[in-house]
Amino acid sequence: MTLLQPFSALVLWISPMMLTSAVNTDKPEENRYSCPVIQCSAPAVNGLPGRDGRDGPKGEKGDPGEGLRGLQGFPGKAGPPGMKGDVGPRGEKGQKGEQGIVATDGLQRQVTALETKLKVLEDELNRYKNALILKNIRSIGKKMFVSTGNQDTFENGKSLCARAGSTLASPRNDAENTALKDLLRPARQAHIGISDAQTEGRFVYLSGGAVTYSKWNTGEPNNLRNEDCVVIQESGKWNDVDCSNTQALIICEILS
């Protein structure tokens, strides 16, 4: 213990001297090499930029803002119609509706009068049907020949058939000519709906079309007394006659 005390005192005496020498700024060489370690780099030189940091975790959703709501836009175009859906369940039966309007006495009388007139017309139509059945009728193809049972002139017969919505019979082939001939009895001849009143020698139908079928008797037509009209005789042959003075059976034709 006695030997160490002089050595310790020597160390304590030397240490302040070394420290004083280290911080002495009067010597340039020593001052250049005695700077702190942090300040020994070149002054005012920035380092390289560091790497971008990673994105942090997504924050929680904030509260909705308090801005004004925008105006609603115009409606878009209607899309194509969808598929028809299944039939829904049948609904419950509704309540009984109110009673309809009761017909007034005046309206009821009108209905009764109309029903009476309708009955009269039906009876009259049935009488006409029965009368037609009793008359001579011949059906051939799409035509129906109906005898009126009366004899008259060509013009009167033409008007009579026109009022009935028909025309004087005009056979266009042998079958129609035979059917027309069978309606003559007890008459001996019937008017045919053709004439050459407009152009002598050129016989046409009442519609104006040229005659396409004929069954003239021998030597006819001869226009003996300015004969412009035509009749069918019991033989089925045709003869030209005077339109104004010849009485013949009136037979009308109806297209069925």
Side-chain angles (χ1 to χ4, degrees):
M1 293 294 297
T2 307
L3 293 175
L4 293 175
Q5 290 179 350
F7 181 74
S8 299
L10 178 61
V11 172
L12 292 174
W13 178 78
I14 294 173
S15 296
M17 292 180 64
M18 292 177 63
L19 182 60
T20 303
S21 174
V23 297
N24 191 356
T25 59
D26 293 336
K27 296 180 181 181
E29 293 83 356
E30 295 178 0
N31 187 31
R32 183 172 56 185
Y33 296 103
S34 62
C35 63
V37 175
I38 297 175
Q39 295 180 357
C40 287
S41 62
V45 177
N46 295 329
L48 296 176
R51 293 171 56 187
D52 293 337
R54 295 182 180 180
D55 294 337
K58 185 177 180 180
E60 296 182 357
K61 185 176 180 180
D63 297 332
E66 298 180 355
L68 296 177
R69 184 177 180 180
L71 298 177
Q72 183 176 355
F74 293 104
K77 295 183 179 179
M83 297 179 62
K84 186 176 181 180
D86 297 333
V87 178
R90 185 174 181 178
E92 297 180 357
K93 186 176 181 180
Q95 297 180 355
K96 186 176 181 180
E98 298 179 358
Q99 185 176 1
I101 301 175
V102 179
T104 61
D105 293 341
L107 181 59
Q108 185 61 45
R109 286 194 297 269
Q110 292 180 8
V111 172
T112 303
L114 289 175
E115 290 177 346
T116 303
K117 289 182 179 180
L118 181 60
K119 183 64 171 60
V120 171
L121 291 174
E122 289 178 348
D123 293 341
E124 187 175 357
L125 179 59
N126 289 331
R127 285 196 298 271
Y128 282 130
K129 288 182 178 179
N130 293 332
L132 287 176
I133 293 175
L134 295 175
K135 297 291 183 182
N136 290 327
I137 300 175
R138 293 290 184 276
S139 295
I140 181 70
K142 294 184 178 181
K143 280 186 179 181
M144 183 169 61
F145 295 129
V146 180
S147 174
T148 65
N150 298 322
Q151 298 189 52
D152 211 326
T153 63
F154 175 81
E155 291 295 331
N156 289 340
K158 185 172 66 173
S159 299
L160 176 62
C161 291
R163 288 197 300 271
S166 60
T167 183
L168 275 175
S170 303
R172 307 294 178 102
N173 52 53
D174 282 335
E176 293 182 3
N177 195 74
T178 300
L180 190 61
K181 181 194 70 171
D182 293 341
L183 290 174
L184 291 179
R185 300 181 183 90
R188 293 187 176 181
Q189 60 184 13
H191 286 293
I192 296 178
I194 63 176
S195 73
D196 66 345
Q198 294 183 351
T199 303
E200 181 60 37
R202 183 176 180 271
F203 286 89
V204 296
Y205 297 109
L206 297 180
S207 61
V211 172
T212 56
Y213 168 82
S214 62
K215 198 76 172 180
W216 294 109
N217 202 351
T218 304
E220 301 294 343
N222 57 16
N223 195 32
L224 184 61
R225 298 181 182 86
N226 193 25
E227 298 170 333
D228 295 330
C229 291
V230 181
V231 294
I232 181 173
Q233 299 174 330
E234 291 178 304
S235 62
K237 299 292 185 178
W238 297 2
N239 185 27
D240 58 340
V241 296
D242 183 2
C243 296
S244 300
N245 299 320
T246 301
Q247 294 282 322
L249 183 64
I250 306 301
I251 301 176
C252 303
E253 75 174 29
I254 300 173
L255 294 177
S256 58

